[in-house]
């Protein structure tokens, strides 16, 4: 049924608001509870944007990541339904970001109003913690020292490929080669802890020590700056090494060996008995309890080609 608009008197189809579409748009503002302005923080040194909770995100201008970051600073979006969001062009040096939002809200039963609005953000310049530490000539706060005391570091080469594959090195600020291993430097201790857990989960290794040294203290704010060091040791066994199992290892592996050949290194050490061809797995904790000795390495092994097999009884 038709009715007249209570404001302008235009004939229209009945709706609970008793107003036509033009009067609804002019008198009802569904964007009144949505913030029109805001601020985003950008690091002057590295150009990353603050994501809250000490997180800094690298975003390009007018990217999806920057759009999602700006929408988090718009208050009141939970009261309407967001239909579309896009950037409006601004001068790159103006330190302003503008978003055009399309929002929708149901006013009455069956009456839905959709409006557009513009949100403007001011880009504030400051420094992230990494750039602050770099300016103060503090190059790192945590180091992970990975060691393997063998002549041929084939397991280290495997670990290097795993680190590159899983991108576990993205938070490192420096990688330094030292005798018997590599040192990985990080700006924050949580990255060093995460990296050490990655190494322990990828190759057979153990945590040797974890220490922390305080180098400055702020008594007024009850804060202290420290440097942490985590030492990891990879088992001195590589693929194709011939090892001699101790008595306890020999019994726990179902009388495997005692002479066994290492066929692979993952989280554990894979072994095979060259006499009975039985296979077994030696865990890192079992290895460090008994420490089986390495008889021959891969460089000392001679490869033979079997041309014929003759069964004798």
């Amino acid at each position: 049924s038709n009715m007249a608009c209570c404001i302008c008197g235009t004939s229209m189809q009945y709706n609970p608001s008793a107003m036509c579409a033009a009067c609804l748009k002019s008198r009802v503002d569904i964007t009144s509870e949505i913030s029109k302005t805001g601020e985003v923080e950008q690091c002057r040194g590295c150009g990353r944007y603050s994501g809250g909770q000490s997180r800094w995100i690298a975003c390009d201008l007018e990217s999806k990541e920057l759009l999602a970051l700006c929408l988090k600073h718009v208050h009141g979006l939970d009261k309407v339904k967001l239909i579309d969001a896009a950037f409006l062009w601004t001068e790159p040096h103006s330190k302003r970001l503008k978003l055009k939002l399309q929002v929708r809200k149901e006013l009455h039963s069956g009456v839905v109003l959709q409006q557009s609005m513009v949100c403007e953000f001011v880009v504030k310049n400051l420094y992230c913690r990494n750039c602050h530490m770099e300016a103060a000539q503090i190059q790192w706060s945590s180091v992970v020292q990975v060691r393997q005391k063998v002549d041929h570091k084939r397991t280290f080469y495997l670990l290097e490929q795993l680190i590159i594959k899983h991108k576990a090195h993205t938070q490192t600020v420096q990688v330094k080669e030292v005798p018997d291993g590599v040192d990985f430097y990080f700006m924050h201790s949580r990255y060093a802890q995460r990296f050490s857990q990655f190494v322990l989960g990828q190759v057979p290794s153990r945590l040797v020590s974890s220490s922390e040294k305080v180098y400055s203290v702020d008594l007024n704010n009850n804060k202290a700056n420290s440097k942490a060091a985590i030492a990891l040791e990879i088992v001195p066994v590589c693929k194709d090494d011939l090892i001699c199992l101790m008595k306890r290892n020999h019994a726990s592996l179902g009388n495997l060996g005692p002479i066994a050949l290492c066929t692979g290194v993952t989280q554990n050490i894979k072994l095979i008995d060259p006499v009975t061809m039985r296979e077994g797995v030696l865990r890192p904790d079992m290895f460090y309890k008994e420490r089986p000795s390495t008889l021959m390495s891969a460089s000392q092994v001679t490869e033979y080609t079997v041309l014929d097999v003759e069964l004798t009884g």
Side-chain angles (χ1 to χ4, degrees), residues 30 60 76 97 109 124 134 151-152 168 177 184 192 216 268 279:
I30 62 175
D60 296 328
L97 297 174
S109 178
K124 292 181 60 179
E134 184 176 353
D151 296 332
H152 54 90
E177 185 177 359
F184 299 88
S216 66
N268 303 309
E279 296 182 349

Side-chain angles (χ1 to χ4, degrees), residues 7 13 42 49 134 136 166 181 187 232 250 276 302:
I7 304 298
Q13 192 175 5
Q42 184 183 25
Y49 291 87
E134 184 176 353
H166 296 281
M187 293 294 290
L232 304 178
H250 174 61
T276 62
T302 303

Side-chain angles (χ1 to χ4, degrees), residues 16-57:
S17 65
M19 289 187 291
C20 63
C23 294
L24 273 175
K25 291 181 180 179
S26 62
R27 292 180 174 271
V28 180
D29 185 13
I30 62 175
T31 65
S32 60
E33 298 181 356
I34 303 176
S35 59
K36 306 294 192 302
T37 59
E39 293 180 350
V40 291
E41 297 176 345
Q42 184 183 25
C43 178
R44 190 188 295 270
C46 60
R48 296 182 299 173
Y49 291 87
S50 174
Q53 299 180 354
S54 302
R55 294 188 307 111
W56 292 86
I57 306 171

Side-chain angles (χ1 to χ4, degrees), residues 129 133 140-142 212-216 224-228:
R129 184 182 178 186
M133 296 179 69
W140 57 275
S141 64
S142 297
E212 189 172 1
K213 180 180 180 181
V214 178
Y215 61 89
S216 66
N225 295 322
S226 61
K227 289 188 176 182

Side-chain angles (χ1 to χ4, degrees), residues 105-118:
K105 184 177 182 180
E106 184 175 357
L107 301 178
H108 305 283
S109 178
V111 179
V112 179
L113 184 61
Q114 180 173 324
Q115 291 179 346
S116 61
M117 59 174 292
V118 176

Side-chain angles (χ1 to χ4, degrees), residues 55-103:
R55 294 188 307 111
W56 292 86
I57 306 171
C59 305
D60 296 328
L61 284 176
E62 300 187 4
S63 62
K64 294 181 179 179
E65 294 80 7
L66 185 57
L67 180 62
L69 186 64
C70 292
L71 288 176
K72 291 181 180 179
H73 291 79
V74 180
H75 303 289
L77 282 180
D78 55 337
K79 300 178 181 179
V80 296
K81 182 178 181 181
L82 181 63
I83 303 301
D84 188 25
F87 280 102
L88 296 178
W89 186 85
T90 55
E91 290 286 348
H93 61 274
S94 64
K95 297 297 180 181
R96 297 292 189 274
L97 297 174
K98 290 185 177 182
L99 295 183
K100 184 179 180 181
L101 307 180
Q102 291 280 349
V103 294

Side-chain angles (χ1 to χ4, degrees), residues 105-217:
K105 184 177 182 180
E106 184 175 357
L107 301 178
H108 305 283
S109 178
V111 179
V112 179
L113 184 61
Q114 180 173 324
Q115 291 179 346
S116 61
M117 59 174 292
V118 176
C119 295
E120 183 175 352
F121 294 90
V122 179
V123 181
K124 292 181 60 179
N125 286 328
L126 44 83
Y127 285 98
C128 63
R129 184 182 178 186
N130 292 1
C131 294
H132 267 298
M133 296 179 69
E134 184 176 353
Q137 297 183 353
I138 303 174
Q139 300 298 329
W140 57 275
S141 64
S142 297
V143 58
V144 179
Q145 301 169 336
V146 185
R147 301 290 185 267
Q148 187 183 28
K149 298 179 181 180
V150 291
D151 296 332
H152 54 90
K153 295 179 174 54
R154 301 179 66 185
T155 308
F156 245 116
Y157 301 147
L158 170 65
L159 178 61
E160 178 184 357
Q161 297 300 320
L162 292 173
I163 291 174
I164 296 174
K165 177 182 177 181
H166 296 281
K167 298 181 180 180
H169 63 292
T170 54
Q171 298 296 337
T172 56
V173 295
Q174 184 182 2
V175 179
K176 183 179 179 181
E177 185 177 359
V178 295
D180 294 332
V182 179
D183 289 345
F184 299 88
Y185 295 89
F186 300 88
M187 293 294 290
H188 302 287
S189 60
R190 63 177 180 273
Y191 298 142
Q193 292 286 347
R194 190 183 308 168
F195 182 81
S196 63
Q197 292 299 323
F198 172 81
V199 175
L200 292 172
Q202 295 295 327
V203 293
S205 54
R206 67 166 179 169
L207 177 65
V208 179
S209 64
S210 178
S211 60
E212 189 172 1
K213 180 180 180 181
V214 178
Y215 61 89
S216 66
V217 178

